[in-house]
Short mmCIF file of all heavy atoms in Angstrom, two decimals:
data_model
loop_
_atom_site.label_atom_id
_atom_site.label_comp_id
_atom_site.label_asym_id
_atom_site.label_seq_id
_atom_site.Cartn_x
_atom_site.Cartn_y
_atom_site.Cartn_z
N VAL A 364 18.25 -69.45 19.96
CA VAL A 364 18.90 -68.33 19.29
C VAL A 364 20.06 -68.83 18.44
O VAL A 364 20.26 -68.40 17.30
CB VAL A 364 19.39 -67.29 20.32
CG1 VAL A 364 20.23 -66.23 19.63
CG2 VAL A 364 18.20 -66.66 21.02
N GLU A 365 20.85 -69.76 18.99
CA GLU A 365 21.99 -70.29 18.26
C GLU A 365 21.52 -71.00 16.99
O GLU A 365 22.12 -70.86 15.92
CB GLU A 365 22.79 -71.25 19.13
CG GLU A 365 23.50 -70.56 20.29
CD GLU A 365 24.21 -71.55 21.19
OE1 GLU A 365 24.14 -72.77 20.88
OE2 GLU A 365 24.83 -71.12 22.17
N LYS A 366 20.44 -71.79 17.09
CA LYS A 366 19.92 -72.47 15.92
C LYS A 366 19.40 -71.46 14.90
O LYS A 366 19.57 -71.62 13.70
CB LYS A 366 18.81 -73.45 16.31
CG LYS A 366 19.32 -74.69 17.04
CD LYS A 366 18.27 -75.76 17.11
CE LYS A 366 17.14 -75.40 18.04
NZ LYS A 366 16.18 -76.51 18.22
N GLY A 367 18.78 -70.38 15.43
CA GLY A 367 18.29 -69.34 14.53
C GLY A 367 19.42 -68.65 13.80
O GLY A 367 19.31 -68.35 12.61
N GLU A 368 20.53 -68.41 14.48
CA GLU A 368 21.68 -67.77 13.85
C GLU A 368 22.30 -68.69 12.79
O GLU A 368 22.67 -68.23 11.71
CB GLU A 368 22.72 -67.40 14.90
CG GLU A 368 22.26 -66.26 15.81
CD GLU A 368 23.27 -65.99 16.92
OE1 GLU A 368 24.20 -66.80 17.08
OE2 GLU A 368 23.11 -64.97 17.60
N GLY A 369 22.39 -69.97 13.11
CA GLY A 369 22.92 -70.91 12.13
C GLY A 369 22.02 -71.00 10.91
O GLY A 369 22.50 -71.06 9.77
N PHE A 370 20.73 -70.99 11.16
CA PHE A 370 19.77 -71.03 10.06
C PHE A 370 19.91 -69.80 9.18
O PHE A 370 19.91 -69.88 7.95
CB PHE A 370 18.36 -71.11 10.62
CG PHE A 370 17.28 -71.17 9.58
CD1 PHE A 370 16.90 -72.38 9.04
CD2 PHE A 370 16.67 -70.01 9.15
CE1 PHE A 370 15.90 -72.44 8.08
CE2 PHE A 370 15.68 -70.05 8.19
CZ PHE A 370 15.29 -71.27 7.66
N GLN A 371 20.06 -68.64 9.81
CA GLN A 371 20.19 -67.40 9.06
C GLN A 371 21.48 -67.38 8.24
O GLN A 371 21.51 -66.88 7.11
CB GLN A 371 20.16 -66.20 10.00
CG GLN A 371 20.15 -64.86 9.26
CD GLN A 371 20.35 -63.69 10.18
OE1 GLN A 371 20.99 -63.83 11.22
NE2 GLN A 371 19.82 -62.54 9.82
N GLN A 372 22.56 -67.94 8.79
CA GLN A 372 23.82 -67.98 8.07
C GLN A 372 23.70 -68.80 6.79
O GLN A 372 24.16 -68.38 5.72
CB GLN A 372 24.92 -68.55 8.97
CG GLN A 372 25.35 -67.62 10.08
CD GLN A 372 26.33 -68.27 11.04
OE1 GLN A 372 26.70 -69.43 10.86
NE2 GLN A 372 26.75 -67.54 12.04
N TRP A 373 23.06 -69.97 6.90
CA TRP A 373 22.90 -70.80 5.70
C TRP A 373 21.91 -70.18 4.73
O TRP A 373 22.07 -70.30 3.51
CB TRP A 373 22.45 -72.21 6.09
CG TRP A 373 23.59 -73.05 6.55
CD1 TRP A 373 23.84 -73.51 7.81
CD2 TRP A 373 24.69 -73.50 5.75
NE1 TRP A 373 25.01 -74.22 7.84
CE2 TRP A 373 25.55 -74.23 6.58
CE3 TRP A 373 25.02 -73.34 4.40
CZ2 TRP A 373 26.72 -74.82 6.12
CZ3 TRP A 373 26.19 -73.93 3.93
CH2 TRP A 373 27.02 -74.65 4.79
N ASP A 374 20.90 -69.51 5.26
CA ASP A 374 19.96 -68.80 4.40
C ASP A 374 20.68 -67.74 3.59
O ASP A 374 20.51 -67.63 2.37
CB ASP A 374 18.88 -68.16 5.28
CG ASP A 374 17.87 -67.35 4.48
OD1 ASP A 374 17.65 -67.69 3.30
OD2 ASP A 374 17.32 -66.40 5.03
N SER A 375 21.54 -66.97 4.27
CA SER A 375 22.28 -65.91 3.59
C SER A 375 23.29 -66.48 2.59
O SER A 375 23.42 -65.98 1.47
CB SER A 375 23.01 -65.05 4.64
OG SER A 375 23.82 -64.09 4.01
N MET A 376 23.98 -67.56 2.99
CA MET A 376 25.00 -68.13 2.12
C MET A 376 24.41 -68.72 0.85
O MET A 376 24.90 -68.48 -0.27
CB MET A 376 25.79 -69.21 2.87
CG MET A 376 26.93 -69.82 2.06
SD MET A 376 27.90 -71.01 3.02
CE MET A 376 28.64 -69.93 4.23
N THR A 377 23.33 -69.50 0.99
CA THR A 377 22.73 -70.10 -0.20
C THR A 377 22.10 -69.04 -1.10
O THR A 377 22.11 -69.18 -2.33
CB THR A 377 21.66 -71.13 0.19
OG1 THR A 377 20.68 -70.53 1.06
CG2 THR A 377 22.29 -72.32 0.90
N ALA A 378 21.58 -67.96 -0.51
CA ALA A 378 21.04 -66.87 -1.31
C ALA A 378 22.15 -66.19 -2.10
O ALA A 378 21.96 -65.78 -3.26
CB ALA A 378 20.33 -65.85 -0.42
N LYS A 379 23.34 -66.08 -1.49
CA LYS A 379 24.48 -65.49 -2.19
C LYS A 379 24.94 -66.38 -3.35
O LYS A 379 25.34 -65.90 -4.40
CB LYS A 379 25.63 -65.25 -1.21
CG LYS A 379 25.39 -64.11 -0.25
CD LYS A 379 26.53 -63.95 0.73
CE LYS A 379 26.26 -62.80 1.70
NZ LYS A 379 27.33 -62.67 2.72
N PHE A 380 24.91 -67.70 -3.12
CA PHE A 380 25.25 -68.62 -4.22
C PHE A 380 24.29 -68.43 -5.39
O PHE A 380 24.71 -68.38 -6.55
CB PHE A 380 25.20 -70.07 -3.73
CG PHE A 380 26.37 -70.48 -2.89
CD1 PHE A 380 26.21 -71.35 -1.82
CD2 PHE A 380 27.64 -70.00 -3.15
CE1 PHE A 380 27.30 -71.72 -1.04
CE2 PHE A 380 28.72 -70.37 -2.38
CZ PHE A 380 28.55 -71.24 -1.31
N ALA A 381 23.00 -68.37 -5.07
CA ALA A 381 22.00 -68.18 -6.12
C ALA A 381 22.18 -66.84 -6.82
O ALA A 381 22.03 -66.74 -8.04
CB ALA A 381 20.59 -68.28 -5.54
N GLY A 382 22.54 -65.81 -6.04
CA GLY A 382 22.81 -64.51 -6.64
C GLY A 382 24.05 -64.52 -7.51
O GLY A 382 24.10 -63.87 -8.56
N ALA A 383 25.07 -65.29 -7.08
CA ALA A 383 26.31 -65.40 -7.87
C ALA A 383 26.07 -66.08 -9.21
O ALA A 383 26.83 -65.88 -10.16
CB ALA A 383 27.37 -66.15 -7.08
N ALA A 384 25.01 -66.89 -9.29
CA ALA A 384 24.70 -67.57 -10.56
C ALA A 384 24.28 -66.58 -11.64
O ALA A 384 24.27 -66.93 -12.83
CB ALA A 384 23.59 -68.60 -10.34
N ASN A 385 23.95 -65.34 -11.24
CA ASN A 385 23.56 -64.35 -12.24
C ASN A 385 24.69 -64.07 -13.23
O ASN A 385 24.44 -63.85 -14.42
CB ASN A 385 23.16 -63.03 -11.56
CG ASN A 385 21.85 -63.15 -10.81
OD1 ASN A 385 21.00 -63.94 -11.16
ND2 ASN A 385 21.69 -62.35 -9.76
N LEU A 386 25.93 -64.08 -12.74
CA LEU A 386 27.06 -63.76 -13.62
C LEU A 386 27.25 -64.79 -14.72
O LEU A 386 27.27 -64.42 -15.91
CB LEU A 386 28.33 -63.59 -12.78
CG LEU A 386 29.60 -63.23 -13.58
CD1 LEU A 386 29.38 -61.92 -14.33
CD2 LEU A 386 30.80 -63.14 -12.65
N PRO A 387 27.39 -66.09 -14.39
CA PRO A 387 27.53 -67.05 -15.49
C PRO A 387 26.30 -67.11 -16.40
O PRO A 387 26.44 -67.31 -17.61
CB PRO A 387 27.76 -68.40 -14.78
CG PRO A 387 27.30 -68.21 -13.39
CD PRO A 387 27.53 -66.77 -13.09
N PHE A 388 25.10 -66.92 -15.84
CA PHE A 388 23.91 -66.93 -16.70
C PHE A 388 23.83 -65.68 -17.57
O PHE A 388 23.28 -65.73 -18.67
CB PHE A 388 22.64 -67.07 -15.85
CG PHE A 388 22.35 -68.49 -15.46
CD1 PHE A 388 22.36 -68.88 -14.13
CD2 PHE A 388 22.07 -69.44 -16.42
CE1 PHE A 388 22.09 -70.18 -13.76
CE2 PHE A 388 21.80 -70.75 -16.07
CZ PHE A 388 21.82 -71.13 -14.74
#
Side-chain angles (χ1 to χ4, degrees):
V364 173
E365 292 176 1
K366 288 194 290 186
E368 290 175 350
F370 181 86
Q371 186 190 28
Q372 289 174 0
W373 280 111
D374 178 29
S375 175
M376 183 176 294
T377 55
K379 288 178 180 177
F380 284 144
N385 290 332
L386 181 59
F388 278 116

